[in-house]
Amino acid sequence: MTKPNLETLKQARQLVQAVTPLQGDCGLVCGGRCCQPGGEDTPLGMVLFPGEEQLLSACPGYEFSQANWRLGDAPAVLVACAGHCRRETRPLACRIFPLAIYLDEPMHLKLILDPAARFICPLCASGLGGLQTAFRQAVAACAKRLVQDPVQRDFIYALSRRMDQLRQDPFYRLAP
């Protein structure tokens, strides 16, 4: 198995270190719902990009679990912090939430609202336009950096297919 380029991952993470969807901590709007771990039957959390488990394993306060769904050949790895992380160590999925990096079938890069965010993030109600422009621009730069690494590009493609499945699920289509 090919390993991700950790320098590319670190650079991508840095691009979205200082931006947020709103001015200030958007977790205060919803009580940090995206930070809450699930239970044994339904693990919740933010998906880790390839190499992030290695970067975060030394950081205190994170709870790692395997998702009950797969990305490629392996279960997705999730992380939750119960709302008590050091913001500078946040995983990439937290830094870009409620956006998701998406590769369509012809491999065109897009930013979309994460389909799962609809259930927990009140910012989704206003669509992409409700998010700060600087945040959207930084996430776009992060996405462009990530897809330069074949491992990250393959991961994003697999994650995009997972999002396609979610968007076809009647449960997700009926969500507010």
Side-chain angles (χ1 to χ4, degrees):
M1 181 176 145
T2 307
K3 294 185 182 218
N5 181 327
L6 290 182
E7 263 322 294
T8 299
L9 177 61
K10 288 176 185 177
Q11 291 167 2
R13 289 168 49 87
Q14 188 61 38
L15 287 167
V16 289
Q17 173 64 31
V19 294
T20 57
L22 301 176
Q23 273 189 295
D25 183 352
C26 64
L28 298 175
V29 174
C30 66
R33 281 189 242 162
C34 58
C35 299
Q36 302 307 313
E40 211 171 282
D41 295 333
T42 45
L44 296 175
M46 304 304 277
V47 69
L48 291 178
F49 281 70
E52 278 196 300
E53 190 169 10
Q54 180 181 345
L55 294 178
L56 297 176
S57 61
C59 299
Y62 289 115
E63 184 178 313
F64 299 92
S65 62
Q66 286 191 343
N68 56 8
W69 44 274
R70 301 178 78 73
L71 286 174
D73 296 334
V77 177
L78 304 176
V79 65
C81 71
H84 304 292
C85 73
R86 291 179 39 217
R87 289 189 63 80
E88 65 273 6
T89 66
R90 290 173 299 154
L92 192 52
C94 292
R95 296 172 190 222
I96 68 172
F97 195 78
L99 294 178
I101 301 168
Y102 181 87
L103 280 170
D104 63 16
E105 293 288 339
M107 301 298 277
H108 297 121
L109 186 61
K110 300 177 184 181
L111 297 181
I112 64 169
L113 286 170
D114 185 325
R118 296 173 60 195
F119 295 100
I120 58 173
C121 182
L123 303 180
C124 290
S126 59
L128 293 174
L131 306 176
Q132 288 197 100
T133 302
F135 172 73
R136 293 190 321 263
Q137 290 171 339
V139 175
C142 169
K144 288 175 185 171
R145 184 70 185 111
L146 282 172
V147 297
Q148 292 175 3
D149 177 356
V151 173
Q152 299 294 348
R153 185 177 50 246
D154 291 348
F155 173 82
I156 292 167
Y157 185 80
L159 187 58
S160 298
R161 302 298 66 81
R162 168 74 178 155
M163 288 185 272
D164 289 343
Q165 291 171 343
L166 290 178
R167 294 193 306 199
Q168 295 304 311
D169 186 310
F171 179 73
Y172 281 83
R173 286 196 314 233
L174 295 174

